[in-house]
Tab-separated table of all heavy atoms in Angstrom:
chain	number	residue	atom	x	y	z
A	1452	PHE	N	-14.230	23.516	30.389
A	1452	PHE	CA	-14.111	23.332	31.820
A	1452	PHE	C	-15.380	22.749	32.445
A	1452	PHE	O	-15.712	23.044	33.578
A	1452	PHE	CB	-13.735	24.665	32.485
A	1452	PHE	CG	-12.409	25.179	32.015
A	1452	PHE	CD1	-12.334	26.255	31.163
A	1452	PHE	CD2	-11.232	24.551	32.409
A	1452	PHE	CE1	-11.105	26.726	30.715
A	1452	PHE	CE2	-9.997	25.006	31.960
A	1452	PHE	CZ	-9.939	26.100	31.120
A	1453	GLU	N	-16.065	21.886	31.707
A	1453	GLU	CA	-17.209	21.166	32.255
A	1453	GLU	C	-16.688	19.938	32.980
A	1453	GLU	O	-15.790	19.249	32.478
A	1453	GLU	CB	-18.171	20.752	31.150
A	1453	GLU	CG	-18.793	21.921	30.417
A	1453	GLU	CD	-19.645	21.455	29.248
A	1453	GLU	OE1	-20.138	20.301	29.282
A	1453	GLU	OE2	-19.797	22.242	28.308
A	1454	ILE	N	-17.214	19.634	34.146
A	1454	ILE	CA	-16.699	18.538	34.984
A	1454	ILE	C	-16.688	17.210	34.220
A	1454	ILE	O	-15.738	16.438	34.321
A	1454	ILE	CB	-17.457	18.440	36.328
A	1454	ILE	CG1	-16.751	17.508	37.303
A	1454	ILE	CG2	-18.882	17.972	36.111
A	1454	ILE	CD1	-15.460	18.049	37.828
A	1455	GLY	N	-17.718	16.928	33.443
A	1455	GLY	CA	-17.767	15.678	32.687
A	1455	GLY	C	-16.665	15.589	31.644
A	1455	GLY	O	-16.056	14.543	31.434
A	1456	LYS	N	-16.378	16.698	30.995
A	1456	LYS	CA	-15.339	16.707	29.960
A	1456	LYS	C	-13.947	16.666	30.576
A	1456	LYS	O	-12.999	16.229	29.938
A	1456	LYS	CB	-15.510	17.916	29.068
A	1456	LYS	CG	-16.829	17.845	28.320
A	1456	LYS	CD	-16.842	18.730	27.130
A	1456	LYS	CE	-18.201	18.553	26.471
A	1456	LYS	NZ	-18.224	18.815	25.112
A	1457	ILE	N	-13.814	17.115	31.803
A	1457	ILE	CA	-12.528	17.052	32.486
A	1457	ILE	C	-12.241	15.637	32.978
A	1457	ILE	O	-11.118	15.140	32.866
A	1457	ILE	CB	-12.485	18.059	33.666
A	1457	ILE	CG1	-12.511	19.486	33.120
A	1457	ILE	CG2	-11.243	17.834	34.528
A	1457	ILE	CD1	-12.685	20.547	34.188
A	1458	LEU	N	-13.246	14.952	33.499
A	1458	LEU	CA	-13.047	13.630	34.091
A	1458	LEU	C	-13.108	12.489	33.091
A	1458	LEU	O	-12.504	11.446	33.304
A	1458	LEU	CB	-14.090	13.400	35.190
A	1458	LEU	CG	-13.990	14.340	36.386
A	1458	LEU	CD1	-15.139	14.072	37.353
A	1458	LEU	CD2	-12.651	14.200	37.088
A	1459	ILE	N	-13.835	12.662	31.997
A	1459	ILE	CA	-14.009	11.584	31.013
A	1459	ILE	C	-13.274	11.979	29.735
A	1459	ILE	O	-13.671	12.921	29.054
A	1459	ILE	CB	-15.504	11.334	30.723
A	1459	ILE	CG1	-16.230	10.990	32.022
A	1459	ILE	CG2	-15.659	10.233	29.680
A	1459	ILE	CD1	-17.736	10.960	31.898
A	1460	PRO	N	-12.195	11.280	29.410
A	1460	PRO	CA	-11.431	11.640	28.202
A	1460	PRO	C	-12.237	11.370	26.938
A	1460	PRO	O	-13.052	10.456	26.870
A	1460	PRO	CB	-10.196	10.746	28.276
A	1460	PRO	CG	-10.535	9.662	29.224
A	1460	PRO	CD	-11.625	10.157	30.120
A	1461	SER	N	-11.985	12.161	25.936
A	1461	SER	CA	-12.677	11.999	24.658
A	1461	SER	C	-11.789	11.217	23.685
A	1461	SER	O	-10.581	11.127	23.859
A	1461	SER	CB	-13.004	13.369	24.064
A	1461	SER	OG	-11.811	14.006	23.655
A	1462	ALA	N	-12.404	10.718	22.645
A	1462	ALA	CA	-11.650	9.996	21.609
A	1462	ALA	C	-10.655	10.931	20.935
A	1462	ALA	O	-9.547	10.521	20.571
A	1462	ALA	CB	-12.613	9.409	20.589
A	1463	ILE	N	-11.009	12.179	20.776
A	1463	ILE	CA	-10.110	13.143	20.149
A	1463	ILE	C	-8.842	13.307	20.984
A	1463	ILE	O	-7.741	13.403	20.454
A	1463	ILE	CB	-10.821	14.496	19.953
A	1463	ILE	CG1	-11.949	14.347	18.930
A	1463	ILE	CG2	-9.846	15.579	19.513
A	1463	ILE	CD1	-12.850	15.558	18.819
A	1464	ALA	N	-8.991	13.312	22.308
A	1464	ALA	CA	-7.818	13.444	23.180
A	1464	ALA	C	-6.884	12.245	23.012
A	1464	ALA	O	-5.664	12.414	22.937
A	1464	ALA	CB	-8.246	13.575	24.631
A	1465	PHE	N	-7.422	11.050	22.930
A	1465	PHE	CA	-6.585	9.862	22.761
A	1465	PHE	C	-5.869	9.882	21.409
A	1465	PHE	O	-4.726	9.455	21.296
A	1465	PHE	CB	-7.397	8.574	22.901
A	1465	PHE	CG	-7.720	8.232	24.328
A	1465	PHE	CD1	-9.025	8.130	24.746
A	1465	PHE	CD2	-6.706	8.022	25.256
A	1465	PHE	CE1	-9.327	7.821	26.060
A	1465	PHE	CE2	-6.987	7.720	26.569
A	1465	PHE	CZ	-8.304	7.620	26.968
A	1466	GLU	N	-6.522	10.392	20.396
A	1466	GLU	CA	-5.899	10.500	19.080
A	1466	GLU	C	-4.688	11.436	19.148
A	1466	GLU	O	-3.643	11.160	18.564
A	1466	GLU	CB	-6.921	11.046	18.089
A	1466	GLU	CG	-6.455	11.075	16.663
A	1466	GLU	CD	-7.556	11.572	15.742
A	1466	GLU	OE1	-8.653	10.994	15.764
A	1466	GLU	OE2	-7.299	12.543	15.015
A	1467	GLY	N	-4.816	12.499	19.890
A	1467	GLY	CA	-3.703	13.425	20.057
A	1467	GLY	C	-2.548	12.818	20.826
A	1467	GLY	O	-1.384	13.138	20.568
A	1468	TRP	N	-2.826	11.943	21.772
A	1468	TRP	CA	-1.764	11.301	22.550
A	1468	TRP	C	-0.870	10.454	21.655
A	1468	TRP	O	0.333	10.389	21.866
A	1468	TRP	CB	-2.354	10.437	23.666
A	1468	TRP	CG	-2.650	11.240	24.887
A	1468	TRP	CD1	-3.856	11.760	25.249
A	1468	TRP	CD2	-1.723	11.642	25.898
A	1468	TRP	NE1	-3.729	12.462	26.410
A	1468	TRP	CE2	-2.428	12.400	26.841
A	1468	TRP	CE3	-0.367	11.441	26.081
A	1468	TRP	CZ2	-1.820	12.954	27.958
A	1468	TRP	CZ3	0.234	11.987	27.195
A	1468	TRP	CH2	-0.489	12.735	28.117
A	1469	GLU	N	-1.445	9.773	20.672
A	1469	GLU	CA	-0.636	8.953	19.765
A	1469	GLU	C	0.417	9.825	19.071
A	1469	GLU	O	1.595	9.465	18.996
A	1469	GLU	CB	-1.521	8.274	18.728
A	1469	GLU	CG	-0.732	7.460	17.720
A	1469	GLU	CD	-1.594	6.886	16.618
A	1469	GLU	OE1	-2.817	7.033	16.632
A	1469	GLU	OE2	-1.005	6.279	15.704
A	1470	LEU	N	-0.003	10.968	18.581
A	1470	LEU	CA	0.908	11.892	17.914
A	1470	LEU	C	1.963	12.423	18.884
A	1470	LEU	O	3.151	12.463	18.565
A	1470	LEU	CB	0.105	13.054	17.322
A	1470	LEU	CG	0.849	14.087	16.516
A	1470	LEU	CD1	1.498	13.463	15.292
A	1470	LEU	CD2	-0.115	15.185	16.099
A	1471	LEU	N	1.537	12.781	20.079
A	1471	LEU	CA	2.455	13.299	21.086
A	1471	LEU	C	3.497	12.253	21.483
A	1471	LEU	O	4.695	12.543	21.515
A	1471	LEU	CB	1.672	13.750	22.326
A	1471	LEU	CG	2.497	14.257	23.500
A	1471	LEU	CD1	3.221	15.534	23.126
A	1471	LEU	CD2	1.606	14.480	24.709
Side-chain angles (χ1 to χ4, degrees):
F1452 298 107
E1453 297 175 25
I1454 192 70
K1456 296 199 179 206
I1457 293 171
L1458 296 176
I1459 302 170
S1461 69
I1463 293 171
F1465 283 120
E1466 186 177 305
W1468 275 98
E1469 177 185 356
L1470 183 62
L1471 177 65

